[in-house]
C-alpha cells in the first residue's frame, strides 16, 4: 500500500490526511475509496457551520495554547497553498479573471483539495483539475500519452493546442468515478478491476467512460453487465443506461436479450404452457405455491394489453372447459352403482382427482374474476345441470370444492364483479343454490378459507337482483331449509328483510305518495 495526501484548506488550519491506496504492478495508483470522498464532503460541510467566537485575551498576554500556534501555522500554509495554485494556473495559461474568481470562491467557501497521482508521479506531464459538488477540487497528475491513447475526449483536448500543461473540467457531476475512470486507463485488464464492483457503481463508470470516449472501458463495463446477475431495481437502471448508449454504436443487443427476445411469441402461447404445467401437477405443495405465485403475478402485470385480451381469454376458457369435462367424467364414474365395490386405493384415487380438478377450476375462476372476464364462466357453470344432479352422489369430502366454485360466483355477482344476464342468474340459483346449502355445514367447519358471512351476503344480493316473484320463490324455499337445519344453512335474513319490505311495505307507501329511505328501512 502507498499513500496519497488530501490537503485541507479550511480557514485557520491545514490538515494533511494520509489515505491508503493500492499500487498495481502496472503502476496504477487506485483512486480514493468512496468513503474518502464522503468523509471529505461531510467534514467540509460541518466545518462551514458558524463557530462560536473564542474569548479574547488581554493585550500583551503571551499565548501558551499550542492549538492557537497551530492555527497561525495553518493560516500561513493555507495562503501558501492558494498562492501556489494560483501561480500554477497562471503559468499554465489560465486567465487572471478565473484566478480572481477562484480566490474569491475559496475565501467564501474554502475548497477541499485532493491530489491524486497515477503511474510514476515523477514522470507525469499533465494536470487534470476537476471541480465537483460540495466545493471539492481534485487535481490529478497524469500522463498525456496515456489519456490521449485511451480517451477521444482528452485526445481532442490535447490536439487543439500545444503544449497543454493542464485541463480543467468544471461542474463535474461524479468526481469520484471520474478519477476512477482515469485510473482505469492505466490498467491492462479493466474487466478484472470491475469484478469486485457492484452494478450501480459499474453503471456510473460506464456513464463517465462513455462521456470520455473511453471505448475500452465501455466495452469492459458492458461485458460485466452482460455476465453479472441483476436485482429487480438494478434491471431497469441497466436497461435504460444501456439503451442510451445505442445498439448500433456499441452493439448492446446481447445485454438487452436478457429482458426481450427477437423471436416474439404471443403471451397466450406462453401462458397456456404455464397453465398446463400447473394444472397437470400432482405434487400438492409445488402446485399450491405456483398457483399463488401465478395469481399474484397476473394481478400485478396486466397481460391483456395491445390486443391480446381475446387470445388470453380463449386460453383460460379452454382450460376451464377441459377441467369441467374431466370433473363431469369423474362424477359419472363415482356415481355408478358398482363404484362402491372398488378397493379403497381406487376410491381414494378418484377422490383425489375430483379434489384436484375442482381446485384447479376454482383457481381459474379467481383469475377470470380478477380480470373481470368471468361472465362467460357463469354461463358455463349455470347450465351444468348434469354435474349438479350428480352432486349428492359424491361424498362431501370430494365435492365440497365444487360448492366453493358456486360460492365464489355468488360473491362476484353480489359485488358487481360479474354481470351475467337475468336468465343466467336465475339458472345459477335454481341449479346450484341447493347443492351449496347441502355442503354448507362442511364448508363452515372443515374449509379454512371459507368465509360464510361474505358468501351469505353474495347469495342474498344475487337473489335481490331478480324480479320480485323470483325472489319470493327462492327465499321461501330457503326458509324451509333454514327452519330445518338452522346454522347449517346459509343465513339469508338480510335478503329476506329486503324482500319483505318490497313485498308488503313499499306498495302501501307508494299508494300514500311516500317512499322508503335510501337504505330501504323504515324510520
Amino acid at each position: 500500500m502507498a499513500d496519497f495526501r488530501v490537503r485541507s484548506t479550511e480557514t485557520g488550519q491545514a490538515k494533511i490526511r494520509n489515505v491508503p491506496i493500492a499500487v498495481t504492478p502496472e503502476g496504477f495508483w487506485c483512486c480514493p475509496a468512496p468513503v474518502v470522498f464522503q468523509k471529505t464532503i461531510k467534514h467540509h460541510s460541518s466545518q462551514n457551520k458558524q463557530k462560536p467566537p473564542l474569548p479574547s485575551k488581554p493585550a500583551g498576554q503571551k499565548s501558551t495554547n499550542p492549538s492557537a500556534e497551530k492555527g497561525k501555522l495553518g493560516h500561513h500554509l493555507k495562503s501558501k497553498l492558494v498562492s501556489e495554485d494560483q501561480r500554477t494556473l497562471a503559468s499554465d495559461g489560465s486567465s487572471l479573471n478565473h484566478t480572481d474568481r477562484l480566490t474569491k470562491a475559496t475565501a467564501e467557501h474554502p475548497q477541499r483539495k485532493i491530489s491524486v497521482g497515477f503511474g510514476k508521479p515523477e514522470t507525469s506531464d499533465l494536470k487534470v483539475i476537476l471541480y465537483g459538488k460540495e466545493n471539492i477540487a481534485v487535481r490529478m497528475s497524469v500522463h498525456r500519452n496515456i489519456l490521449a491513447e485511451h480517451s477521444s475526449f482528452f485526445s481532442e483536448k490535447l490536439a487543439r493546442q500545444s503544449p497543454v500543461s493542464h485541463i480543467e473540467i468544471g461542474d463535474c457531476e461524479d468526481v469520484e468515478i471520474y478519477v476512477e475512470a482515469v485510473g482505469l486507463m492505466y490498467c491492462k485488464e479493466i474487466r478484472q478491476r470491475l469484478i469486485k464492483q457492484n452494478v450501480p457503481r459499474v453503471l456510473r463508470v460506464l456513464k463517465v467512460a462513455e462521456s470520455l470516449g473511453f471505448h475500452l472501458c465501455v466495452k469492459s463495463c458492458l461485458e460485466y453487465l452482460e455476465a453479472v446477475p441483476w436485482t429487480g431495481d438494478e434491471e431497469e437502471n441497466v436497461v435504460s443506461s444501456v439503451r442510451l448508449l445505442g445498439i448500433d454504436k456499441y452493439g448492446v443487443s446481447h445485454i438487452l436479450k436478457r429482458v426481450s427476445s427477437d423471436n416474439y411469441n404471443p403471451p397466450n402461447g406462453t401462458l397456456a404452457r404455464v397453465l398446463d404445467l400447473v394444472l397437470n401437477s400432482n405434487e400438492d405443495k409445488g402446485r399450491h405455491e405456483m398457483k399463488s405465485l401465478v395469481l399474484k403475478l397476473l394481478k400485478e402485470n396486466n397481460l391483456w394489453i395491445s390486443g391480446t385480451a381475446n387470445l388470453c381469454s380463449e386460453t383460460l376458457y379452454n382450460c376451464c372447459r377441459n377441467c369441467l369435462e374431466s370433473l363431469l367424467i369423474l362424477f359419472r364414474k363415482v356415481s355408478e352403482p358398482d363404484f362402491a365395490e372398488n378397493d379403497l386405493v381406487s376410491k381414494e384415487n378418484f377422490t383425489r382427482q375430483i379434489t384436484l380438478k375442482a381446485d384447479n377450476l376454482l383457481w381459474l375462476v379467481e383469475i377470470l374474476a380478477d380480470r373481470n372476464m368471468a361472465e362467460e364462466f357463469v354461463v358455463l357453470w349455470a347450465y351444468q345441470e348434469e354435474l349438479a344432479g350428480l352432486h349428492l352422489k359424491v361424498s362431501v369430502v370430494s365435492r365440497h370444492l365444487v360448492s366453493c366454485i358456486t360460492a365464489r360466483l355468488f360473491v362476484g355477482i353480489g359485488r358487481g364483479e360479474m354481470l351475467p344476464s337475468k336468465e343466467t342468474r336465475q339458472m345459477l340459483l335454481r341449479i346450484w343454490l341447493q347443492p351449496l346449502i347441502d355442503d354448507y355445514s362442511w364448508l363452515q367447519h372443515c374449509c379454512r378459507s371459507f368465509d360464510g358471512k361474505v358468501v351469505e351476503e353474495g347469495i342474498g344480493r344475487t337473489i335481490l337482483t331478480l324480479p320480485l316473484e323470483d325472489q319470493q320463490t327462492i327465499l321461501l324455499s330457503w326458509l324451509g331449509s333454514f327452519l330445518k337445519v338452522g346454522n347449517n344453512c346459509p343465513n339469508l335474513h338480510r335478503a329476506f328483510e329486503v324482500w319483505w319490505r318490497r313485498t308488503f311495505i313499499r306498495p302501501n307507501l307508494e299508494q300514500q305518495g311516500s317512499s322508503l329511505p335510501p337504505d330501504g328501512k323504515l324510520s
Side-chain angles (χ1 to χ4, degrees), residues 125-128 142-168 185-186:
D125 53 2
L126 180 67
K127 303 290 184 185
V128 177
V142 295
H143 302 76
R144 64 179 67 243
N145 63 321
I146 298 292
L147 270 61
E149 177 185 353
H150 292 85
S151 167
S152 59
F153 171 81
F154 284 117
S155 177
E156 181 184 348
K157 291 288 185 182
L158 294 172
R160 287 182 180 178
Q161 57 181 350
S162 182
V164 177
S165 60
H166 83 282
I167 296 175
E168 293 184 7
M185 296 180 188
Y186 287 77

Side-chain angles (χ1 to χ4, degrees), residues 114-406:
I114 302 175
S115 297
V116 183
F118 297 94
K120 297 180 180 180
E122 64 272 11
T123 62
S124 65
D125 53 2
L126 180 67
K127 303 290 184 185
V128 177
I129 304 173
L130 308 175
Y131 298 100
K133 298 177 181 179
E134 300 290 343
N135 211 27
I136 282 185
V138 177
R139 182 168 59 186
M140 298 184 289
S141 300
V142 295
H143 302 76
R144 64 179 67 243
N145 63 321
I146 298 292
L147 270 61
E149 177 185 353
H150 292 85
S151 167
S152 59
F153 171 81
F154 284 117
S155 177
E156 181 184 348
K157 291 288 185 182
L158 294 172
R160 287 182 180 178
Q161 57 181 350
S162 182
V164 177
S165 60
H166 83 282
I167 296 175
E168 293 184 7
I169 301 175
D171 299 326
C172 188
E173 293 184 0
D174 201 341
V175 172
E176 175 191 342
I177 298 301
Y178 211 107
V179 173
E180 182 169 348
V182 172
L184 289 172
M185 296 180 188
Y186 287 77
C187 289
K188 293 181 180 179
E189 296 291 338
I190 297 177
R191 192 169 67 169
Q192 294 299 319
R193 301 290 175 192
L194 298 175
I195 287 178
K196 295 183 179 180
Q197 306 291 348
N198 54 38
V199 171
R201 189 171 182 85
V202 171
L203 288 176
R204 292 166 63 192
V205 174
L206 175 64
K207 180 179 179 181
V208 173
E210 200 276 334
S211 68
L212 291 176
F214 187 3
H215 301 299
L216 184 60
C217 184
V218 171
K219 180 182 177 182
S220 298
C221 289
L222 293 176
E223 290 175 351
Y224 169 94
L225 294 172
E226 192 276 334
V228 74
W230 310 332
T231 65
D233 294 336
E234 292 171 350
E235 179 173 316
E236 294 303 319
N237 293 331
V238 171
V239 171
S240 59
S241 298
V242 167
R243 281 177 175 165
L244 287 176
L245 295 177
I247 295 177
D248 298 333
K249 185 176 181 180
Y250 288 101
V252 297
S253 59
H254 60 291
I255 297 180
L256 297 178
K257 283 182 179 180
R258 189 183 293 191
V259 296
S260 60
S261 174
D262 295 334
N263 300 321
Y264 174 73
N265 292 320
N268 65 303
T270 304
L271 178 62
R273 178 60 176 157
V274 172
L275 294 177
D276 183 65
L277 289 171
V278 174
L279 294 174
N280 291 306
S281 171
N282 290 319
E283 204 284 317
D284 292 337
K285 186 176 184 299
R287 185 180 68 257
H288 290 149
E289 183 173 337
M290 288 310 302
K291 281 183 177 180
S292 299
L293 177 60
V294 172
L295 184 61
K296 179 177 76 74
L297 292 174
L298 288 175
K299 288 182 177 181
E300 293 176 353
N301 304 279
N302 189 357
L303 295 177
W304 287 263
I305 57 177
S306 303
T308 63
N310 292 334
L311 295 175
C312 293
S313 173
E314 182 180 351
T315 299
L316 288 167
Y317 274 106
N318 284 338
C319 294
C320 289
R321 292 185 185 95
N322 291 335
C323 285
L324 270 174
E325 183 178 351
S326 299
L327 196 60
L328 182 57
I329 292 173
L330 290 168
F331 266 51
R332 287 170 180 167
K333 289 183 178 180
V334 172
S335 302
E336 291 176 355
D338 58 346
F339 179 77
E341 300 176 3
N342 291 344
D343 58 81
L344 183 59
V345 175
S346 178
K347 291 180 180 179
E348 289 179 350
N349 182 56
F350 274 102
T351 298
R352 173 175 171 77
Q353 289 301 313
I354 291 175
T355 302
L356 179 61
K357 296 301 179 182
D359 184 65
N360 287 342
L361 201 54
L362 181 60
W363 179 60
L364 292 170
V365 171
E366 284 291 345
I367 296 175
L368 291 170
D370 182 70
R371 309 314 306 173
N372 297 321
M373 298 166 59
E375 292 178 14
E376 184 179 342
F377 183 84
V378 180
V379 178
L380 284 174
W381 193 252
Y383 288 88
Q384 294 295 320
E385 295 185 68
E386 183 180 0
L387 187 66
L390 297 173
H391 190 79
L392 277 178
K393 298 181 180 180
V394 180
S395 68
V396 68
V397 178
S398 304
R399 76 189 190 212
H400 73 277
L401 286 177
V402 173
S403 293
C404 286
I405 298 172
T406 303

Side-chain angles (χ1 to χ4, degrees), residues 80-99:
K80 182 177 180 181
L81 287 172
V82 172
S83 63
E84 284 179 354
D85 289 337
Q86 293 173 358
R87 285 199 300 271
T88 301
L89 294 175
S91 63
D92 290 341
S94 59
S95 65
L96 181 60
N97 290 336
H98 176 78
T99 305

